[in-house]
């Protein structure tokens, strides 16, 4: 079990590093969005397929949320968050979005209790089965919508 966690953590760190290096070297190229998508979208999708396969049977949901949070932080990079396109449009695969919504509020709250954030206070009434929950996005991006 520990080996799977270790391997997935290393895999995610290496992929994130590669994306950041590519972004720094190529962000001013006219076809940047298309080429970074072509190079990395499928790799992110493959990583999160691997995580989903081993979630709760080799990798904890807590660690999964931590890895997801590092990838959602790519949305803070200007070149990956343009006027008409966001990080999700450019690099975010469907399985990352699905996993974001599939993790329960209780699991996000446990993560927050361990990391010292309190977004759950803004979302106490938001049910796990809401069609589009905002709570996971607040936890993963560190943002909050003023209520």
């Amino acid at each position: 079990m520990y080996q799977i966690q270790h391997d997935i953590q290393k895999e995610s760190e290496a992929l994130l590093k590669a994306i950041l290096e590519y972004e720094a070297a190529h962000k001013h190229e006219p076809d940047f969005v298309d080429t970074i998508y072509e190079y990395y979208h499928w790799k992110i999708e493959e990583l999160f397929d691997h995580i989903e396969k081993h979630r709760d049977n080799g990798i904890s949901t807590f660690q999964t949320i931590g890895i997801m949070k590092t990838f959602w932080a790519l949305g803070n990079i200007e070149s990956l968050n343009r006027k008409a396109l966001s990080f999700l449009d450019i690099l975010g695969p469907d399985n990352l979005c699905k996993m974001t919504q599939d993790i329960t509020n209780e699991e996000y709250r446990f993560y927050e209790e361990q990391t010292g954030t309190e977004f759950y206070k803004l979302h106490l009434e938001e049910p796990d089965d809401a069609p589009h929950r905002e709570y996971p996005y607040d936890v993963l991006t560190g943002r909050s919508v003023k209520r």
Side-chain angles (χ1 to χ4, degrees):
M1 187 158 129
Y2 174 76
Q3 188 62 43
I4 292 170
Q5 289 179 354
H6 179 75
D7 292 348
I8 289 174
Q9 187 66 42
K10 289 293 180 194
E11 182 182 350
S12 67
E13 289 170 1
L15 179 55
L16 192 59
K17 182 180 179 200
I19 291 168
L20 292 171
E21 288 174 355
Y22 184 88
E23 185 274 340
H26 301 279
K27 64 184 171 190
H28 296 297
E29 294 176 4
D31 61 347
F32 168 73
V33 170
D34 293 332
T35 56
I36 197 166
Y37 173 87
E38 183 179 315
Y39 291 155
Y40 293 105
H41 178 83
W42 68 272
K43 291 180 182 185
I44 296 171
E45 185 173 46
E46 192 174 79
L47 170 69
F48 283 97
D49 279 344
H50 190 199
I51 290 171
E52 186 60 35
K53 177 181 174 189
H54 294 288
R55 197 171 118 220
D56 295 331
N57 187 20
I59 183 170
S60 68
T61 298
F62 183 89
Q63 186 179 5
T64 299
I65 293 170
I67 292 170
M68 290 168 60
K69 189 172 173 98
T70 62
F71 279 88
W72 277 96
L74 291 171
N76 296 329
I77 298 172
E78 187 176 328
S79 63
L80 295 175
N81 200 13
R82 297 175 174 210
K83 291 177 186 173
L85 299 173
S86 70
F87 154 71
L88 280 181
D89 299 321
I90 297 171
L91 285 177
D94 290 340
N95 62 350
L96 174 59
C97 295
K98 182 179 179 329
M99 191 180 302
T100 297
Q101 292 291 319
D102 286 349
I103 294 173
T104 67
N105 289 353
E106 184 179 323
E107 291 168 310
Y108 281 113
R109 184 165 179 175
F110 177 76
Y111 181 84
E112 285 200 282
E113 288 169 352
Q114 305 306 309
T115 59
T117 57
E118 297 181 334
F119 291 110
Y120 69 89
K121 290 180 178 180
L122 299 171
H123 302 281
L124 290 174
E125 302 300 318
E126 189 175 70
D128 281 338
D129 62 349
H132 177 76
R133 295 179 304 145
E134 289 295 318
Y135 178 45
Y137 296 107
D138 283 356
V139 173
L140 296 172
T141 64
R143 67 145 170 104
S144 142
V145 177
K146 291 186 180 179
R147 301 223 178 243

